[in-house]
Amino acid sequence: MISLDAAELARRIHAREVSSVEVTRAHLQRIEAVDGPSDGSAGPDGVHAFLHVDADGALAAAEAADRAIAEGGPVSPLAGVPVALKDNLTTTDMPTTCASRILDGWRPPYDATVVARLRAAGLVPLGKTNLDEFAMGSSTENSAFGPTRNPWDLTRVPGGSGGGSSASVAAGEAPLALGSDTGGSIRQPGAVTGTVGVKPTYGTVSRYGLVAFSSSLDQIGPCARSVLDAALLHEVVGGHDRCDQTSVNAPLPPVVEAALAGARGDLAGVRVGVVGELSGEGYQPGVLAAFTDAVRTLGELGAEVVEVSCPSFSYALPAYYLIAPSEASSNLARFDAMRYGLRVGDDGERSTDEVMSLTREAGFGAEVKRRIMIGTHALSAGSYDALYGKAQKARTLIVRDFTAAFETCDVLVSPTTPTTAFAIGERVDDPLAMYLADLCTIPANLAGNAALSVPCGTSPDDGLPVGLQVMAPALADDRAYRVAAAYETARSSTPDAAPRIPELRALETTR
Ligand code: GLN
């Protein structure tokens, strides 16, 4: 049961061949078998995708879904299917920690819109997944509760910041998960764990109840093992929400229809642009080999493949690492020791400022502090024009590169990441090396358009998963889904198609 796609699980649950309770139990057992304790104390003996598992809540939701199905009324296409939630989404019945000590003991008073929509559609939340603290990072090592491990190789990172969500899907602990993508945190972990990850067009999935990191970049999206599953989840959570001021009031692109059409059809007439700037030096040869193979497959499917140049993409990383920390330095000001969770040194003697300072000192990790300092500096009067203002200009140039490229291409493609999953510990002392993991994913966040990552086999040099990134214009998410689904179907019939769920025998038998 843990290896079936969400679409197939839903079909069996709705046909009453199996109950949602049975499916939920199977996933809870899998979590028990491979995840280790939620504080990460199992070390290398656990995937540690989850920070919190709510077995009772999940089984109650599953029972409710089974009841609704038994009553024979209309149910949503994913009713009864379990789902994991990145722990920066607010939930009333589970803690929300953002993998930070500063939120110790905080219980959100409301559900994020996406969580409320999942519940209303009868999905079954299993628990909250690990992330880099406040979604700042590319490896999930910045979690205050210990790293998540890549199910393909437990000595490697699962990517980040949403390593927990992608790893839970890759390990068969959840058929579906939600993540958030500010600079790549859904697509990049998707790529290195061999799963699908989608960053929808900015503003098309409500951010209400997503703890803000960089508000002009943050976007919630689905993690899954197939393109169709991602589309099904996308349709449940997407669409206008009056609680989010940046929510786009337009119909959601027909992503499920596109995924189905892609899986059935070819790509005749689709113009695919290969972004010249997103390959070459610094890219792992095995990643480029897998990517080149993928592009060949797109051509064989009938797509017209052309080279395109997006010269301003070379500014994307530096622009992002000014804009994202600037917005973060403002957003994180709310963690003031008064309103949420942790409060340190409140002895009746110390001033508010002292308590705030002691609390932040103890509650924030090193990377979060680094971002707050960089952002505060970039926004200060003496640096604003030279740093923040410049970054915003670079952002405009990147938007123009996309606009020009989409005049001649329907979608753009690149590798999702320059390398496969790196070793735990390898980049923790080198922030710049860590930042490079999001080289290919950041442009779409800066421009706000849609982008996804779909597995494109394994790298011949280390046998680890590689992701193909497909980018589409804003509000044309369906195009990316169509191309990815066609590619996925073609690939799954090749003899070297990688298994969907890696073997975790050592863990499975020790427990
Ligand atoms: N790795 C990037 C960062 O550290 C992106 C994170 C994200 O998308 N949340 O900011």
Side-chain angles (χ1 to χ4, degrees):
M1 245 180 293
I2 58 153
S3 60
L4 293 174
D5 286 354
E8 176 59 17
L9 282 174
R11 189 194 67 72
R12 293 190 192 185
I13 293 169
H14 299 180
R16 301 182 68 191
E17 290 167 23
V18 63
S19 69
S20 171
V21 167
E22 288 169 295
V23 170
T24 302
R25 270 217 184 95
H27 286 91
L28 290 170
Q29 278 161 9
R30 176 69 170 176
I31 294 170
E32 181 82 13
V34 301
D35 212 56
S38 57
D39 62 3
S41 58
D45 292 332
V47 175
H48 192 219
F50 284 89
L51 294 178
H52 181 90
V53 177
D54 182 11
D56 294 342
L59 289 168
E63 267 167 34
D66 283 333
R67 232 175 295 122
I69 291 158
E71 280 162 14
V75 292
S76 132
L78 288 176
V81 177
V83 61
L85 305 171
K86 190 173 179 179
D87 201 20
N88 57 355
L89 298 168
T90 59
T91 44
T92 51
D93 54 353
M94 293 183 265
T96 295
T97 68
C98 296
S100 181
R101 299 266 175 216
I102 210 150
L103 282 170
D104 246 6
W106 181 58
R107 281 291 177 125
Y110 64 100
D111 277 332
T113 294
V114 292
V115 174
R117 287 184 183 176
L118 287 180
R119 294 195 207 274
L123 279 91
V124 176
L126 294 169
K128 306 296 286 288
T129 59
N130 201 7
L131 64 154
D132 286 294
E133 188 177 3
F134 286 104
M136 298 175 189
S138 308
S139 69
T140 316
E141 290 166 291
N142 293 335
S143 167
F145 308 110
T148 296
R149 289 167 186 276
N150 192 320
W152 288 83
D153 175 347
L154 296 170
T155 68
R156 303 209 181 223
V157 303
S161 64
S165 281
S166 295
S168 74
V169 172
E173 296 171 278
L176 296 169
L178 282 181
S180 68
D181 192 311
T182 304
S185 287
I186 295 174
R187 289 162 287 159
Q188 190 256 83
V192 303
T193 61
T195 55
V196 176
V198 183
K199 184 201 85 73
T201 297
Y202 181 79
T204 57
V205 177
S206 170
R207 292 183 296 111
Y208 182 69
L210 168 66
V211 179
F213 162 14
S214 181
S215 310
S216 76
L217 302 163
D218 296 341
Q219 187 59 76
I220 296 170
C223 312
R225 286 192 297 266
S226 81
V227 175
L228 176 61
D229 283 2
L232 288 165
L233 183 56
H234 191 148
E235 280 203 349
V236 171
V237 297
H240 182 246
D241 176 19
R242 41 182 291 282
C243 294
D244 175 354
Q245 297 285 306
T246 58
S247 176
V248 176
N249 197 352
L252 204 66
V255 293
V256 170
E257 212 180 294
L260 290 169
R264 275 194 308 261
D266 60 18
L267 293 177
V270 177
R271 297 163 305 168
V272 173
V274 178
V275 182
E277 284 75 9
L278 299 180
S279 71
E281 211 189 310
Y283 285 72
Q284 186 176 322
V287 167
L288 291 179
F291 173 67
T292 307
D293 264 0
V295 173
R296 190 176 318 121
T297 303
L298 295 176
E300 284 161 10
L301 283 163
E304 184 193 319
V305 179
V306 295
E307 281 269 341
V308 292
S309 175
C310 295
S312 300
F313 280 18
S314 57
Y315 305 132
L317 200 70
Y320 173 88
Y321 277 100
L322 288 167
I323 293 169
S326 295
E327 294 186 13
S329 71
S330 166
N331 274 325
L332 270 59
R334 75 191 55 173
F335 301 107
D336 56 4
M338 307 298 141
R339 283 180 269 203
Y340 303 90
L342 191 69
R343 183 180 297 175
V344 177
D346 184 12
D347 58 3
E349 302 289 317
R350 289 194 173 93
S351 70
T352 312
D353 277 356
E354 281 172 304
V355 170
M356 200 185 295
S357 162
L358 286 170
T359 302
R360 287 174 173 166
E361 163 71 37
F364 286 139
E367 183 62 23
V368 173
K369 288 175 183 158
R370 181 181 295 126
R371 306 267 179 130
I372 292 172
M373 286 189 280
I374 293 174
T376 307
H377 176 68
L379 292 176
S380 63
S383 312
Y384 187 94
D385 288 338
L387 298 176
Y388 183 75
K390 266 264 172 61
Q392 290 292 14
K393 286 178 186 166
R395 186 176 191 171
T396 301
L397 294 178
I398 290 157
V399 172
R400 286 186 193 156
D401 274 2
F402 268 120
T403 308
F406 285 131
E407 268 163 24
T408 56
C409 301
D410 299 303
V411 296
L412 302 178
V413 294
S414 75
T416 308
T417 55
T419 70
T420 55
F422 45 90
I424 289 181
E426 191 181 311
R427 299 192 188 179
V428 279
D429 297 320
D430 187 350
L432 285 182
M434 188 68 88
Y435 297 170
L436 280 172
D438 291 307
L439 196 61
C440 310
T441 47
I442 282 173
N445 296 88
L446 289 171
N449 55 295
L452 59 74
S453 178
V454 60
C456 72
T458 52
S459 164
D461 42 28
D462 57 17
L464 291 168
V466 177
L468 167 69
Q469 180 174 228
V470 186
M471 297 170 272
L475 296 175
D477 308 43
D478 50 316
R479 280 191 213 168
Y481 275 99
R482 178 181 164 202
V483 170
Y487 172 74
E488 175 185 65
T489 306
R491 220 207 112 66
S492 62
S493 57
T494 61
D496 61 335
R500 289 276 191 76
I501 297 186
E503 286 195 26
L504 285 166
R505 288 248 154 118
L507 295 182
E508 286 155 24
T509 49
T510 52
R511 273 168 233 285

